[in-house]
Amino acid sequence: MSNLDTLIQDLVIANRILAKEDVVDAYGHVSVRHPENPNRFLIARSVSPELVGADDIVELGLDGQPVGDDKRALYLERFIHAAIFEARPDVMAVVHAHAEDTLAFGVAGATKLRPVVHSGAFIGPEVPVWDIADNFGDTNLLVTDMAQGRDLAKCLGGNNVVLMRGHGFAAASRSLIEVVRMSVYLPRNARVLMRAKQLGGETKYLSAGEIEARNRGYRPYSPESWRAWEYWANRAGCGHLLTRPEG
Ligand SMILES: [Zn+2]
């Protein structure tokens, strides 16, 4: 298989994993930058992630429009991905989801969503909250054009995750494996933080040094990272699609 075909398979796997792990449901999406043309990215047409197959993957430009004359219906919020890829050349993969456990942290000012468990370290020390109303007033809260996408990408800045007030989150990373991992553990970290707050007393967050130590050791295709990807793919019923890169 070519690099592109392998990446499309990986994108299918990523879709299925995110659905199985309840990060996405009928809505939410994952994308990956094109391996040969950094000005394009791959994402499914408008279909639920659990149902995505290789034939559903479409190629879009950094303006969020399809390359060529693909007439299939597309995700309304594809501009989230386009704008993040445009703003962040280092980012290779993006997830947008509405995972319920993250939502309270986008609307309650009292507690910031930050890492409290080791697997949550990958979300990084800072998770900004973007409020679409700040610059766009009353909307349906969806990111439906490049202006809104760019405003979101600006709020994300150099961070890994941005919460979207009353809506969900966007996560950006150097690889598909990494962005899926981060998106799976983000709601879990949020859940633990929520419970810790209910127990009361002072909440102990991961220190900057602990977050840095976790991230320093991370490689997308290390045996430890691959173990999770393989496990999740099998749980999602698509272990047969796995291709482990050489080396
Ligand atoms: Zn959304």
Side-chain angles (χ1 to χ4, degrees):
M1 281 206 301
S2 70
N3 274 352
L4 181 59
D5 289 339
T6 305
L7 197 62
I8 287 173
Q9 291 281 58
D10 282 349
L11 186 54
V12 170
I13 293 170
N15 271 278
R16 306 276 188 87
I17 290 174
L18 292 170
K20 177 68 181 175
E21 302 302 323
D22 288 329
V23 180
V24 295
D25 47 23
Y27 303 99
H29 13 86
V30 52
S31 64
V32 66
R33 199 185 286 272
H34 195 290
E36 285 135 31
N37 185 341
N39 295 319
R40 294 179 182 177
F41 65 99
L42 306 165
I43 191 169
R45 68 181 175 87
S46 182
V47 63
S48 297
E50 188 175 335
L51 308 177
V52 167
D55 292 345
D56 296 311
I57 303 302
V58 293
E59 202 173 311
L60 306 185
L62 296 190
D63 56 358
Q65 300 305 333
V67 171
D69 61 351
D70 204 319
K71 299 272 192 297
R72 292 180 289 180
L74 301 172
Y75 292 130
L76 293 175
E77 295 197 281
R78 59 192 182 277
F79 303 100
I80 294 170
H81 303 258
I84 292 175
F85 284 127
E86 178 188 64
R88 292 275 303 274
D90 60 310
V91 164
M92 292 298 144
V94 174
V95 165
H96 166 60
H98 307 147
E100 192 177 322
D101 290 309
T102 65
L103 297 179
F105 294 94
V107 294
T111 300
K112 284 193 169 191
L113 182 53
R114 281 166 46 198
V116 282
V117 291
H118 79 298
S119 50
F122 302 106
I123 67 176
E126 201 64 49
V127 179
V129 178
W130 177 69
D131 188 345
I132 193 169
D134 287 348
N135 286 323
F136 300 95
D138 288 335
T139 63
N140 62 4
L141 282 97
L142 304 182
V143 177
T144 54
D145 61 34
M146 280 307 288
Q148 293 172 343
R150 284 176 179 138
D151 197 51
L152 171 68
K154 194 171 155 199
C155 182
L156 170 69
N159 299 294
N160 298 335
V161 179
V162 58
L163 294 180
M164 302 158 74
R165 191 271 302 167
H167 179 177
F169 73 88
S173 202
R174 298 166 293 182
S175 70
L176 262 181
I177 289 187
E178 205 171 337
V179 84
V180 165
R181 178 193 175 101
M182 194 155 69
S183 303
V184 167
Y185 285 119
L186 174 72
R188 294 184 189 180
N189 185 86
R191 215 146 54 220
V192 173
L193 178 52
M194 184 75 85
R195 286 187 189 142
K197 287 284 171 192
Q198 286 164 350
L199 290 175
E202 188 198 343
T203 303
K204 187 119 188 179
Y205 291 92
L206 261 60
S207 71
E210 287 170 337
I211 294 170
E212 156 66 16
R214 290 283 304 163
N215 285 305
R216 205 183 315 127
Y218 181 79
R219 286 179 296 120
Y221 292 100
S222 70
E224 294 75 22
S225 308
W226 183 261
R227 190 166 91 195
W229 181 248
E230 189 179 41
Y231 165 74
W232 284 323
N234 277 284
R235 251 169 73 89
C238 55
H240 59 287
L241 299 179
L242 286 167
T243 312
R244 184 166 191 163
E246 303 291 325

